[in-house]
Amino acid sequence: MSYILLSLSNIGSPLYVWVFSDYAISEASEEVSANYAEILSTLTSPWFMVLAIAATVVISIIVGVIAKKVYNKQFANAGIM
């Protein structure tokens, strides 16, 4: 569970772009090139946000399971468990 929460903590910055997409794209087009703003607009769709969160959760679960197996083996070799 901690791997999932830790991984989702990095979504704070892109969350602003997803929630306030029109404002973020207009500000990006003023500050940087129009090409960047166009690419940013493709990444602000709701399905991309759901996909990013789902991928983060799935990968976090996989990494958590792998880490548990590795740590259990290391602890067993060290005589802790």
Side-chain angles (χ1 to χ4, degrees), residues 33-76:
S33 68
N35 187 27
Y36 177 80
E38 182 181 325
I39 293 170
L40 185 63
S41 68
T42 62
L43 299 176
T44 59
S45 62
W47 68 267
F48 191 79
M49 179 178 68
V50 171
L51 178 68
I53 292 172
T56 301
V57 169
V58 169
I59 291 171
S60 297
I61 291 170
I62 292 169
V63 170
V65 169
I66 292 170
K68 183 178 178 183
K69 289 181 181 182
V70 169
Y71 286 135
N72 282 342
K73 185 177 180 180
Q74 293 295 323
F75 289 151

Side-chain angles (χ1 to χ4, degrees), residues 1-11 52-65:
M1 193 67 181
S2 64
Y3 276 84
I4 295 171
L5 294 176
L6 183 65
S7 298
L8 286 176
S9 67
N10 295 328
I11 290 189
I53 292 172
T56 301
V57 169
V58 169
I59 291 171
S60 297
I61 291 170
I62 292 169
V63 170
V65 169

